[in-house]
Amino acid sequence: MAFVRICSWNVNSVRARLPLVERLVAERAPDILCLQEIKVETDAFPRAAFRAMGYEHEAIFGQRGHHGVAILSRLALNKSESIDWCGLGDARHISAELPGGIRLHDFYVPAGGDVPDPDLNPRFAHKLAFLDEMIEWAKGLSEPTIALGDFNVAPLACDVWNHKALLSVVSHTPVETERLERLRAAHEWHDAVRAVFTAPQPIFTWWSYRARDWRASNRGRRLDHVWLSPDLAPALVGVEIVEEARGWERPSDHVPVLVDLDLGS
DNA sequence: ATGGTTGGGGGCCAA
């Protein structure tokens, strides 16, 4: 095993973003790609393109039009499975076991709509219920675990461009950030990105498509996360937020998050 | 306070 580079990336359609995934692979060579919002049915996933890039192992859970997650790997993947959060059948989670018995969980947490009130907005209620289910699930975990993906929550004040303004904006409201912290604490996960880019340094992984100039206004949020269970925390070697990918042609609104681990022999 | 853009799938919805 030794060194393993893992990438988490909400690609906002894997078919639309294939050239950018190929560029990332050429330039950064991750061993494992964890994608979210692939927006394609499992059977229509462009497997051949990933095999051509050297990813021979796959765990894919797609869905027509919406959501969808996939793990593509140069290392063997075993016992892949998905949990049906909130019983809706949504393709928002896939997990697989890596060599060495590490379980890797790839999440696409609901965005939650616009209105931050669960009584008025069913999407926000769904997001909170989804996080509540994750908290209960995490309490029962024991194995070495990596949880990553688009959590759609920016937990810290320095994870958004304007903390006070975003306290009432879905993704940074107290009910969400408190839940995310309870989830993290439930398995004592280590936030790999914040272990390297420590607070209060602002770090973002998402910039809206709607900005005239995303780089100039820099109104970003850190919605994408990579968490390591305590036994894996010492394996952390490095992190890169591939911010430049937001400026590539026809970009996703999220950028890749790379985490390097030294898993020893 | 509002609108701004993108992708999928078909003639708007979700993000």
Side-chain angles (χ1 to χ4, degrees), chain A residues 100-122:
Chain A
I102 298 165
R103 185 150 282 272
L104 174 60
H105 292 272
D106 183 12
F107 284 97
Y108 176 49
V109 175
D114 290 329
V115 180
D117 182 335
D119 296 325
L120 299 175
N121 173 13

Side-chain angles (χ1 to χ4, degrees), chain A residues 1 6 32 34 59 71 77-83 93-107 137 141-148 187 189 227-229 231-232 261 263:
Chain A
M1 278 278 261
I6 301 175
I32 303 173
C34 301
I71 303 173
L77 298 176
N78 289 297
K79 303 181 206 166
S80 72
E81 57 185 43
S82 175
I83 298 172
H93 168 258
I94 188 85
S95 74
E97 191 181 284
L98 306 180
I102 298 165
R103 185 150 282 272
L104 174 60
H105 292 272
D106 183 12
F107 284 97
W137 160 79
L141 292 175
S142 55
E143 60 195 345
T145 302
I146 301 170
L148 57 73
H187 192 51
W189 273 295
W227 289 354
L228 309 174
S229 59
D231 39 0
L232 294 175
L261 303 177
L263 297 174

Side-chain angles (χ1 to χ4, degrees), chain A residues 85-88 90 92 109-134 170-171 173 175-176 179:
Chain A
W85 307 92
C86 301
L88 294 172
D90 286 344
R92 293 184 177 276
V109 175
D114 290 329
V115 180
D117 182 335
D119 296 325
L120 299 175
N121 173 13
R123 296 182 190 289
F124 195 65
H126 175 218
K127 182 179 197 174
L128 299 183
F130 193 104
L131 291 167
D132 285 340
E133 283 193 12
M134 287 177 74
V170 171
S171 73
T173 65
V175 288
E176 294 169 86
R179 272 174 176 78

Side-chain angles (χ1 to χ4, degrees), chain A residues 7 9 21 24-25 30-35 50 55 70-73:
Chain A
C7 171
W9 194 5
V21 174
L24 181 83
V25 168
D31 299 293
I32 303 173
L33 285 164
C34 301
L35 307 179
F50 284 88
Y55 300 95
I71 303 173
L72 297 311
S73 177

Side-chain angles (χ1 to χ4, degrees), chain A residues 146-200:
Chain A
I146 301 170
L148 57 73
D150 178 3
F151 294 177
N152 264 315
V153 179
L156 306 178
C158 54
D159 291 332
V160 294
W161 66 278
N162 183 328
H163 170 57
K164 283 189 179 172
L166 270 76
L167 280 171
S168 59
V169 173
V170 171
S171 73
H172 194 58
T173 65
V175 288
E176 294 169 86
T177 58
E178 285 162 10
R179 272 174 176 78
L180 200 73
E181 172 53 22
R182 278 180 12 231
L183 172 60
R184 193 206 57 73
H187 192 51
E188 297 179 9
W189 273 295
H190 289 234
D191 180 336
V193 174
R194 278 295 175 202
V196 173
F197 301 106
T198 51

Side-chain angles (χ1 to χ4, degrees), chain A residues 7-12 17 20 24 28 34-36 149-150 193 203-209 214-215 220-226 240-248 251-258:
Chain A
C7 171
S8 176
W9 194 5
N10 178 325
V11 289
N12 184 20
R17 232 58 73 191
L20 273 59
L24 181 83
R28 298 299 199 281
C34 301
L35 307 179
Q36 304 90 34
D150 178 3
V193 174
I203 290 288
F204 309 140
T205 65
W206 172 91
W207 293 261
S208 171
Y209 281 127
W214 70 275
R215 207 188 302 265
R221 306 177 201 171
R222 189 172 72 105
L223 303 178
D224 303 275
H225 302 275
V226 179
E240 184 189 6
I241 311 295
V242 190
E243 187 174 325
E244 66 190 69
R246 186 62 179 80
W248 292 350
S252 170
D253 44 358
H254 295 253
V255 298
V257 178
L258 302 178

